[in-house]
Amino acid sequence: MNTTPLTADDRVEITELFGHYAWAADTGDLDGYVATFTDDGVFDGIMGYYDGPDRLRQLAAQVHAGPRSRGIQHWVNNSVFKGNHDRCVVRSMAFAPRRIENEHTIVFVGYYIDTCRRVDGSWLFEIRRFRPWVGEVLDGGRPWET
């Protein structure tokens, strides 16, 4: 097991991974979206459970083509990191505003619990979980791996 602590550079690279994910998801870049995950990567969220490149590509296509997706932006911040130089869990707050013409709405408010892994020198999502901002998290729960 690697005991090398997570560095500031690791945190920056993981934060940039979040940006790559958001840009790919919100602009319909299916290849870019899949590339943010490990080969055995998983997305587990309100739309279901998707594992592996083919299922992740299917999810990205569904998200981009969905009726609530036009004009959406994924925003992730207030991240807390726990792990080492090879693998870590990141808990982040998230919301998604949407703008179509002059209409502005919030599509979702929630949080991510991401298990990120370094693969060939790059940080990728091993598991990306999205949960709505309800329940135990509001009552003082600290969901690291739910």
Side-chain angles (χ1 to χ4, degrees), residues 3 14 21 25 28 36 39 57-59 65 75 81 87 92 96 98 101 109 127 132 134-135 142:
T3 58
I14 293 167
Y21 174 94
T36 64
D39 288 342
R57 180 179 305 283
Q58 179 184 43
L59 170 62
W75 288 86
F81 299 77
R87 192 167 192 263
S92 307
R98 175 176 83 151
E101 297 173 13
V109 176
I127 303 170
V134 297
R142 301 176 68 84

Side-chain angles (χ1 to χ4, degrees), residues 99-104:
R99 178 173 189 229
I100 299 176
E101 297 173 13
N102 291 324
E103 173 194 344
H104 298 82

Side-chain angles (χ1 to χ4, degrees), residues 18-36:
F18 296 166
H20 286 293
Y21 174 94
W23 276 99
D26 297 342
T27 62
D29 177 0
L30 304 184
D31 291 334
Y33 181 87
V34 172
T36 64

